[in-house]
Amino acid sequence: MPQGRVVRLDRGWSTVLLANGDSIRVRNIGVEVAVGDEVNVTVDMERVHSVNPRRSALVRRASFEGARAQRQVVASNIDTVFLVHSLTSPPNERRLERELVLAFDSGADPVIVLTKVDCVDSNVANSVCDALSAVSMGVPIHMLSGITREGMDQLTDYISDGSTIAVLGASGVGKSTLVNALVGHDAQEVGEVREHDQRGRHTTVAAQLVQLPSGGWLLDTPGLRAVNLWTSGHGIERAFKDVFDLSESCKFRDCKHSDEPECAVQAAITGGTLAPIRLESMRRLVAEEASIEEEQRDREKSFDRRGARRPAENRRRS
Ligand SMILES: Nc1nc2c(ncn2[C@@H]2O[C@H](COP(=O)(O)OP(=O)(O)OP(=O)(O)O)[C@@H](O)[C@H]2O)c(=O)[nH]1
Ligand SMILES: [Mg+2]
Ligand SMILES: [Zn+2]
């Protein structure tokens, strides 16, 4: 059976790059396919037969379809995730926290990339960088320009033959510009941002895997409006390592960090070493994840009661 990698998805169609370098468009009926998947194509080259197990996947909650949450695999088989923010906008720590949770849960390594360093003076750049550093939990941060190429050499270490980097971030931050700068030609369309608020116009509409001349892959994604969590593994623990580390020293193992005695988290807030917003933010994400988990459990239960088979993961429409 011919094997290849899904480089793009369009409503029921997969574009698959085969091992021999040919690119074909095939139907993906009855299989859940994501960009980045390694797939087997039917011998008649008509459709995706099966998807190989993913070694990593960036998963978020898609917008609600009816009342029920759906999961969306944004990118699969990735090694690194570039979390892209623009230095021309005020730092968005809350968004970065969510992106870090998704990235940690994906199994790939996050890297923070701050673009448009050519557009701001160094005071502004440093203050945005400092604000985001406060929630980055030691994840590397690089400031660069996809236009002047300043700082681009910092990214070479992440690129290697056979490895895949997913590029994630809001619309207009410069994801496609960065992809083009790394690839060395205009592989991806770029679009102007709105002058008054620097927001993008959702130029990239579908995730696209692009091959690097040196080997390796970049996975450009459409700007996500909302970074919604799906059920998480240790993503929240890792993205909120500061809070989790402190809670090790709370008197009670099940401390909720509210009004318990000898709470190390509250002590850090009072002492000014932990921003209260970090605890609030973590609580919000824990609650969001818990509600998805609860919904999933209810769904499984209702299927069990009816004696119906749970719909197999790969039968869900992508
Ligand atoms: N000066 C400067 N402009 C940049 C840089 N990166 C991107 N831009 C500009 O920002 C605008 C948006 O860039 P895109 O690369 O299309 O942004 P995107 O993140 O791919 O946006 P979506 O596809 O909508 O999600 C374009 O006008 C780019 O020329 C940079 O480092 N410096
Ligand atoms: Mg784009
Ligand atoms: Zn506590």
Side-chain angles (χ1 to χ4, degrees):
M1 228 180 269
Q3 291 208 350
R5 195 157 189 211
V6 176
V7 295
R8 190 184 166 97
L9 286 177
D10 296 278
R11 288 177 183 272
W13 290 88
S14 296
T15 306
V16 179
L17 186 65
L18 299 172
N20 67 6
D22 287 350
S23 177
I24 55 167
R25 250 164 83 88
V26 295
R27 300 289 307 190
N28 40 264
I29 313 157
V31 274
E32 189 210 42
V33 182
V35 176
D37 276 345
E38 304 275 0
V39 295
N40 304 294
V41 176
T42 52
V43 183
D44 59 11
M45 302 283 218
E46 291 282 323
R47 57 189 182 85
V48 174
H49 174 268
S50 53
V51 178
N52 292 348
R54 295 171 181 143
R55 62 188 160 83
S56 59
L58 205 53
V59 184
R60 69 156 187 156
R61 194 192 77 205
S63 40
F64 282 102
E65 215 172 85
R68 184 183 283 170
Q70 295 280 334
R71 70 179 218 141
Q72 184 200 4
V73 180
V74 178
S76 91
N77 299 320
I78 53 175
D79 302 278
T80 308
V81 187
F82 285 171
L83 303 176
V84 185
H85 286 236
S86 168
L87 290 165
T88 55
S89 297
N92 190 341
E93 295 96 324
R94 305 289 84 79
R95 182 177 175 114
L96 180 59
E97 288 168 348
R98 286 171 173 274
E99 291 169 339
L100 283 167
V101 174
L102 291 198
F104 282 132
D105 276 326
S106 74
D109 296 324
V111 171
I112 299 162
V113 175
L114 308 181
T115 56
K116 312 196 189 186
V117 71
D118 57 307
C119 297
V120 294
D121 68 38
S122 59
N123 292 337
V124 174
N126 290 333
S127 79
V128 173
C129 184
D130 287 349
L132 295 177
S133 298
V135 302
S136 65
M137 299 295 105
V139 166
I141 304 186
H142 304 290
M143 291 197 266
L144 54 81
S145 166
I147 300 284
T148 66
R149 306 189 64 89
E150 178 186 346
M152 288 278 300
D153 52 351
Q154 299 170 86
L155 302 185
T156 47
D157 282 356
Y158 303 110
I159 295 165
S160 69
D161 199 2
S163 76
T164 304
I165 302 169
V167 185
L168 201 73
S171 180
V173 295
K175 299 179 294 298
S176 301
T177 303
L178 178 64
V179 166
N180 289 344
L182 288 167
V183 178
H185 64 93
D186 288 348
Q188 289 292 87
E189 195 190 334
V190 305
E192 297 279 299
V193 294
R194 300 194 304 205
E195 192 57 48
H196 64 287
D197 61 4
Q198 296 292 310
R199 279 181 185 231
R201 299 163 196 267
H202 295 276
T203 306
T204 306
V205 293
Q208 174 88 42
L209 200 56
V210 180
Q211 240 170 340
L212 283 158
S214 58
W217 306 78
L218 293 172
L219 205 164
D220 191 11
T221 66
L224 297 181
R225 283 187 181 86
V227 186
N228 297 320
L229 301 191
W230 188 248
T231 53
S232 150
H234 294 288
I236 294 180
E237 259 172 79
R238 294 178 66 185
F240 291 87
K241 191 177 182 302
D242 49 355
V243 183
F244 276 84
D245 281 354
L246 282 166
S247 65
E248 296 280 303
S249 311
C250 293
K251 181 179 162 102
F252 298 109
R253 278 235 141 266
D254 61 348
C255 185
K256 300 279 182 294
H257 323 306
S258 303
D259 46 17
E260 291 90 345
E262 293 174 54
C263 169
V265 174
Q266 285 300 339
I269 290 173
T270 311
T273 53
L274 180 73
I277 185 86
R278 283 287 284 169
L279 180 60
E280 270 168 52
S281 194
M282 187 191 82
R283 281 180 172 148
R284 197 169 305 138
L285 296 184
V286 167
E288 190 173 315
E289 199 209 324
S291 84
I292 296 268
E293 269 171 10
E294 196 181 335
E295 197 183 310
Q296 292 303 106
R297 265 199 306 276
D298 290 350
R299 217 162 146 181
E300 283 170 31
K301 257 191 255 159
S302 77
F303 274 115
D304 290 346
R305 263 202 301 276
R306 281 187 269 140
R309 230 157 44 94
R310 283 176 57 206
E313 194 100 290
N314 63 4
R315 288 176 54 216
R316 226 174 280 155
R317 290 282 306 272
S318 58

